[in-house]
Amino acid sequence: MTSMNTAAGTNPAGPRASRTFRGLRALALGLTALALGLTGTAATTAPAAASAWTARGSSFDGDRLAELVAKDGDSFRIWQNINGDDWEWPWGSTGKLHGSGWSGVNPATVYFADLDGDHYKDLVQLDGDSFRVWKHNGALFGGNPWTGQPFRTGGGWSGANPSAVWFADINGDGTADLIHRYGDELHYFPNLGGGTSWGAPVTIGYGYGGSDPRAIWFADLDGDHRAERIERFGDTFMVGPNTTGGAGGWPWGTVYFTGSGWSGQDPSGIWFADITGDDRADLVQKHGDALRYFPNNGSDHQHTSWSAAVGAGNGWYAADPKGIYFA
């Protein structure tokens, strides 16, 4: 891989337009896309009319636009997302190094999740029998976000497959819950406050014993603040829309399918994260030497469509996708 200081930031960029101008341009682009039926890899259904919702997502710097994070030797290198809401090259030109002591750590045991609902992503590591958590201190981008001492949470996780562990907001309370494939089942543990304690497990899936956990994701596709269940299903993705938030147990409604051409793609190089800052997760892929994302072009509980791919990085051919995160 090329220098990790520049690999994500080689796209030339001039002075950034004002947010008012960018908002008007985004509206114009959205109306044009709707008029032309603009779609991505798979969408054959026009986006549903937008409904009222309140943006409240989280990111590394607290602005809802997911940053690019890469495990870089002993540290993490983070590129700030400054242009994702324009559906263009997202990153600032220089990645910032944070943290130390991560050399030799399995990158699959590292997660970024908002555990306390403050809109900043915390750093979580599966470490032996429990999880270690470094709370984000609210530092501005470029400052050290992990100045506090980590705390431990959970127990009984020794031997767990880290790829079969996820953090996502199932019940829509603004904090990430803990999800685990346990044998044949999917369980979620409701976050009872700040990631320091967890509720009793709730079964939210059956028949997963033979599934590759790397091909399962949890992300909010429709902007209702509750994560959908997403699975790579042959050539496409199968989505279980989160219609109840787990109230009373089972969260999923009737499944639907989205996307095409994904058979044979490495699931470790696929992510769902909100690059554009509209509280709807976009589809991100490591494609050969490049990173690219497909903006979420509209979702509800019955469909998701994607716009055409947007470049988001180059020089990533040799990078281990397990050490790439969007937070």
Side-chain angles (χ1 to χ4, degrees):
M1 193 178 75
T2 60
S3 168
M4 293 194 68
N5 188 52
T6 59
T10 54
N11 191 60
R16 199 178 187 208
S18 71
R19 184 165 293 275
T20 300
F21 176 82
R22 288 160 48 221
L24 292 172
R25 183 172 65 177
L27 176 61
L29 288 171
L31 293 173
T32 302
L34 182 61
L36 295 177
L38 184 64
T39 58
T41 52
T44 57
T45 306
S51 57
W53 53 274
T54 302
R56 68 175 193 191
S58 59
S59 70
F60 181 81
D61 63 2
D63 68 354
R64 304 194 320 272
L65 300 165
E67 270 68 58
L68 168 60
V69 184
K71 186 172 177 293
D72 185 5
D74 194 54
S75 304
F76 295 99
R77 189 175 295 277
I78 305 170
W79 289 266
Q80 188 176 27
N81 185 339
I82 61 172
N83 285 320
D85 51 353
D86 286 337
W87 290 23
E88 59 186 42
W89 186 278
W91 322 120
S93 60
T94 303
K96 303 294 186 182
L97 280 174
H98 293 294
S100 62
W102 293 92
S103 180
V105 172
N106 178 0
T109 65
V110 175
Y111 315 86
F112 293 88
D114 182 6
L115 297 184
D116 57 7
D118 66 354
H119 308 294
Y120 291 94
K121 292 292 179 71
D122 306 306
L123 170 59
V124 185
Q125 181 195 12
L126 176 57
D127 181 41
D129 193 57
S130 61
F131 295 91
R132 289 199 296 172
V133 178
W134 287 262
K135 299 298 289 295
H136 195 296
N137 60 17
L140 296 176
F141 187 82
N144 183 4
W146 303 310
T147 54
Q149 291 297 311
F151 66 86
R152 287 194 175 268
T153 184
W157 292 91
S158 181
N161 178 356
S163 296
V165 174
W166 304 264
F167 289 88
D169 188 0
I170 298 296
N171 57 23
D173 68 354
T175 63
D177 305 301
L178 172 57
I179 308 160
H180 181 219
R181 190 192 72 181
Y182 183 75
D184 194 53
E185 299 178 350
L186 295 176
H187 295 166
Y188 104 89
F189 301 81
N191 185 339
L192 298 183
T196 60
S197 62
W198 309 91
V202 179
T203 301
I204 58 172
Y206 299 96
Y208 285 88
S211 299
D212 182 353
R214 299 174 306 156
I216 303 171
W217 302 265
F218 295 88
D220 182 8
L221 297 181
D222 55 23
D224 67 356
H225 311 134
R226 301 179 301 205
E228 274 63 60
R229 183 197 68 220
I230 308 162
E231 303 171 53
R232 214 256 308 273
F233 190 81
D235 193 54
T236 186
F237 295 102
M238 180 171 65
V239 178
N242 188 337
T243 57
T244 71
W250 196 261
W252 318 120
T254 303
V255 302
Y256 64 86
F257 298 89
T258 182
S260 63
W262 294 94
S263 179
Q265 302 295 316
D266 179 6
S268 295
I270 297 171
W271 303 265
F272 290 86
D274 188 6
I275 304 298
T276 58
D278 62 358
D279 273 6
R280 297 170 172 88
D282 307 299
L283 173 55
V284 189
Q285 184 192 21
K286 178 178 177 287
H287 184 67
D289 190 58
L291 297 175
R292 61 182 183 175
Y293 71 97
F294 300 84
N296 186 328
N297 200 36
S299 298
D300 57 26
H301 288 159
Q302 298 177 327
H303 94 289
T304 298
S305 62
W306 310 100
S307 282
V310 179
N314 46 54
W316 293 87
Y317 184 83
D320 180 356
K322 294 189 296 296
I324 302 172
Y325 319 85
F326 294 88

